[in-house]
Amino acid sequence: MASNHSQKVEAIADHADVDNDSSHVNAKSIVLSNEAKVEQANAHSLINPKKEITFTVGTNDIAEAAHQIADQKAAAAKAAEEQAAAEKAAAEQAAAEQAAAEKAQQEAQQAAQNAAAASAASAASASSSAATTASTEATTNKGTFKLSFYDPSVLGSGLGYGGVAANLSVFPKGTRLKITLSDGTVWYRTVNDTGSFAAGNPNQLDVAMPNSQIPSAGVLTATVEVVG
């Protein structure tokens, strides 16, 4: 820069009047002065270079904002993951509690069924025991009797089918009889009636029975015992 400027000034001075020495000297002085100023300016630039604005990655506002956004996204993702894990754990716990409740209900129902079955078995056992007791209770054998049959409803009687008509001198009313047929069939009847036949047939019983169940033979024989 200083060399070009001085060349231009020297050229101007050369074209000036050669006789005018003072003008030539002045031109030379201007050139030298200008060159000194340029060199001084260059030296100042080297000593105090111009400061440039720079952005250091990670320290300026834009980078810091980007870091904050990234941190927020990471925190949100972590929170969502933790919430999902908590919801999964809660669902699993609820399912386990429901399964336990259903199991407890099933066990309670099974216990109730077992108790009902045990009660029924106990009742059946008691009934069987009572029947056995009744069948083995003390009896007095009265021998073999003829059996005839009648339907009280046909005769207009309301005594029902649990009774038997007998000679009251042999079996008073209210006597409980055990009647055993030849084939092993056992009937229990209570004397609650008598008949005209009974006066001449003390060894015959007239058993109350629906017409549909009366044996076709009409008259049977059986062993008769007094119960109790």
Side-chain angles (χ1 to χ4, degrees), residues 17-154:
D17 187 6
V18 295
D19 294 332
N20 194 351
D21 293 334
S22 60
S23 296
H24 187 72
V25 172
N26 289 335
K28 289 286 186 179
S29 298
I30 293 172
V31 170
L32 292 175
S33 176
N34 288 337
E35 286 181 351
K37 290 180 179 180
V38 170
E39 289 177 356
Q40 184 179 2
N42 289 338
H44 180 76
S45 298
L46 291 175
I47 295 172
N48 299 305
K50 183 179 181 181
K51 294 183 179 179
E52 296 181 356
I53 299 174
T54 60
F55 291 94
T56 302
V57 177
T59 60
N60 56 65
D61 294 340
I62 296 176
E64 184 64 24
H67 288 165
Q68 292 178 359
I69 292 173
D71 292 342
Q72 291 174 357
K73 288 183 178 180
K78 184 178 180 180
E81 183 179 355
E82 291 177 351
Q83 182 177 359
E87 291 176 352
K88 181 180 179 181
E92 291 177 350
Q93 183 177 0
E97 291 176 352
Q98 182 177 1
E102 291 176 353
K103 183 178 180 181
Q105 183 177 5
Q106 291 176 355
E107 290 177 350
Q109 292 177 349
Q110 185 64 41
Q113 292 176 357
N114 293 341
S119 178
S122 178
S125 177
S127 177
S128 176
S129 177
T132 301
T133 301
S135 65
T136 58
E137 62 187 347
T139 61
T140 301
N141 193 332
K142 293 296 182 178
T144 302
F145 284 73
K146 288 184 179 180
L147 301 180
S148 58
F149 302 90
Y150 76 103
D151 189 337
S153 63
V154 173

